[in-house]
Amino acid sequence: MLKKNRLFTPGPTPLLPQAQTAMASYGAHHRTADFRALFTRVLTDVKEFIGTRNDVLVLTSSGTGFMEASISNLTSPGDRVLVLTAGKFGERWTSLAKAFGCAVETVTAPYGETISLEEVRHKLTPEIRCVYVQATESSTGARHDVEAIAKLVRALPDTLFVVDAITGLGTTRLDVDGWGIDVIIGGSQKALMIPPGLAYGAISERAWQRMETAKSPRYYFDLRKERKSAAKAETAYTPATSLFAGLAAALDYVRQMGDGNLAAGRDALIANAELCAAMTRAGVQALGLKLFAPSSPAAALTAVAAPAGADSTAICKRFREQFGAVVANGQAEMKGQLFRIAHIGYYDYLDTVGVLAALEHVIAEATGKAVEFGCAVRAAQEVYARAMAKTQTTVEVR
Ligand SMILES: *Cc1c(COP(=O)(O)O)cnc(C)c1O
């Protein structure tokens, strides 16, 4: 059979066709009125997409660049910081903070679980300068309770709260200003449906003030310099201009999803991810598979434990070779133990039931056991039908 290449990875995610067209035809120089107009429009829209009154920046780098900036701009060597970690991206915060000489304390949860609020409360002292966490830990499929953690951090006046929401933005409700998140970070290759290369984020006034005294070295990722340039509708260095054109098109698409309201479109995108995730969880469980993060599953992606006796590397390989579907394996020491199906951004009903139908074949092959074809698809359809019935009732009630 014909095979279409389809990404089900939690970044990069499938590209929005309108954004691809916009990128292919964009050729303006970055120090021109044309680009300044595009840049201003993108910053305004990103601000609305994040849902904040804080200043936003869009950097030409992968998401990790903005993570690094959130360490180097906010800390001085020797500063005590607290990292809340439950996976490979949490561990990245620890490595980054150590690279800049911070004294790193951690609250650690086993892979597949979420952070214990009790332990956070215990470790959170006024000497902690910054707290770093993920909104959704893409390596395990777990969602952390950012609102509850924010409440604990906000009780301390001088502790900054930084959230890597690179797979959280556009898949999870995050009230950045209401909860008091000082830095929130997103990446272009996730919910915004364009290729890798841009990182975006919002920065609170408290965080801007900290930058005045923070002494860690920084140059390319000096956020104060970017803020100054942004005030003149420019970037400090050469930006990835075509990605900005793609981002503008993607944000327009999200606005259309909200009938002209970008924030409503973002909420619709979140609801879409939530429904794709609920369908997928029902489908994999109907097949007898176990979720890798059952207690707190993210809408960004579903991580599924490899069935007993099977290796997820073979499962991912089979998906790719038989169906052209790129499903993510476990990272590092989790390789072989789980596979991950993303719901971030540009996924619809047919993508979701399609990948579940393929999964039925893949699991039959991987376990050598008979699979009742249609069982995963049917469970997903039932979730979908119930969700549709519910939206219909709400419309009628109104
Ligand atoms: C994708 C991702 C990142 C950023 O990775 P880059 O490869 O630098 O873009 C960081 N954190 C999480 C949770 C992610 O999913």
Side-chain angles (χ1 to χ4, degrees), residues 10 62-64 67 89 92 134 136 138 164 166-167 189-190:
S62 85
T64 307
M67 291 173 75
F89 292 101
R92 187 170 297 179
Q134 270 64 41
T136 48
S138 319
D164 161 6
I166 296 176
T167 53
Q189 80 275 36
K190 312 277 171 137

Side-chain angles (χ1 to χ4, degrees), residues 51-53 147 150-151 154 174-181:
T52 182
R53 283 183 303 276
E147 182 176 13
K151 263 201 193 111
R154 280 286 56 87
L174 294 159
D175 183 358
V176 177
D177 297 353
W179 301 347
I181 297 171

Side-chain angles (χ1 to χ4, degrees), residues 33-367:
D34 272 359
F35 184 76
R36 279 192 288 273
L38 173 70
F39 181 75
T40 306
R41 178 176 143 211
V42 164
L43 283 194
T44 308
D45 284 359
V46 164
K47 198 165 172 156
E48 203 168 343
F49 180 76
I50 296 177
T52 182
R53 283 183 303 276
N54 291 337
D55 282 350
V56 299
L57 292 177
V58 180
L59 307 178
T60 292
S61 80
S62 85
T64 307
F66 216 121
M67 291 173 75
E68 174 166 325
S70 312
I71 303 274
S72 64
N73 285 262
L74 301 177
T75 68
S76 303
D79 273 4
R80 291 254 295 271
V81 304
L82 180 63
V83 172
L84 315 180
T85 167
K88 300 318 292 178
F89 292 101
E91 290 162 21
R92 187 170 297 179
W93 276 135
T94 304
S95 307
L96 274 165
K98 283 187 176 160
F100 285 89
C102 294
V104 183
E105 299 195 20
T106 55
V107 170
T108 308
Y111 294 163
E113 293 179 22
T114 187
I115 310 293
S116 147
L117 292 175
E118 207 35 62
E119 280 184 53
V120 176
R121 197 175 287 124
H122 183 69
K123 286 266 174 92
L124 202 53
T125 60
E127 294 78 60
I128 301 285
R129 303 289 284 157
C130 296
V131 176
Y132 295 95
V133 72
Q134 270 64 41
T136 48
E137 174 51 76
S138 319
S139 68
T140 68
R143 167 164 25 204
H144 297 319
D145 189 347
V146 174
E147 182 176 13
I149 298 165
K151 263 201 193 111
L152 299 177
V153 181
R154 280 286 56 87
L156 299 173
D158 299 319
T159 304
L160 298 177
F161 186 40
V162 180
V163 180
D164 161 6
I166 296 176
T167 53
L169 282 160
T171 67
T172 288
R173 197 181 78 86
L174 294 159
D175 183 358
V176 177
D177 297 353
W179 301 347
I181 297 171
D182 292 297
V183 179
I184 188 156
I185 307 166
S188 58
Q189 80 275 36
K190 312 277 171 137
L192 285 173
M193 307 169 271
I194 65 167
L198 295 178
Y200 60 95
I203 297 155
S204 74
E205 212 35 62
R206 212 174 6 235
W208 288 116
Q209 280 167 24
R210 173 72 59 85
M211 285 180 220
E212 299 303 324
T213 53
K215 292 190 178 56
S216 288
R218 58 204 113 129
Y219 188 85
Y220 181 72
F221 290 119
D222 187 336
L223 297 181
R224 288 174 305 171
K225 211 158 45 188
E226 288 296 343
R227 186 195 207 188
K228 252 191 214 148
S229 299
K232 295 178 283 176
E234 289 199 356
T235 53
Y237 310 105
T238 311
T241 48
S242 55
L243 288 173
F244 272 87
L247 188 54
L251 288 159
D252 275 345
Y253 177 78
V254 177
R255 184 182 284 110
Q256 279 164 29
M257 283 179 75
D259 294 323
N261 179 327
L262 186 48
R266 179 217 41 229
D267 293 346
L269 192 63
I270 294 172
N272 183 72
E274 293 278 10
L275 183 50
C276 291
M279 289 168 68
T280 305
R281 288 195 296 269
V284 300
Q285 288 174 298
L287 257 177
L289 300 173
K290 292 204 162 46
L291 300 176
F292 190 77
S295 63
S296 180
L301 71 150
T302 300
V304 185
D311 186 310
S312 64
T313 308
I315 291 174
C316 295
K317 186 162 182 259
R318 192 88 194 168
F319 259 116
R320 201 170 53 244
E321 288 178 353
Q322 193 171 351
F323 299 105
V326 187
V327 163
N329 200 346
Q331 285 170 253
E333 58 268 52
M334 285 178 273
K335 189 171 177 202
Q337 294 177 24
L338 64 124
F339 58 94
R340 296 171 293 150
I341 298 171
H343 322 295
I344 309 160
Y346 201 52
Y347 291 102
D348 67 0
Y349 173 88
L350 288 178
D351 295 322
T352 308
V353 293
V355 76
L356 287 169
L359 177 65
E360 294 178 2
H361 294 287
V362 170
I363 291 302
E365 165 76 23
T367 59

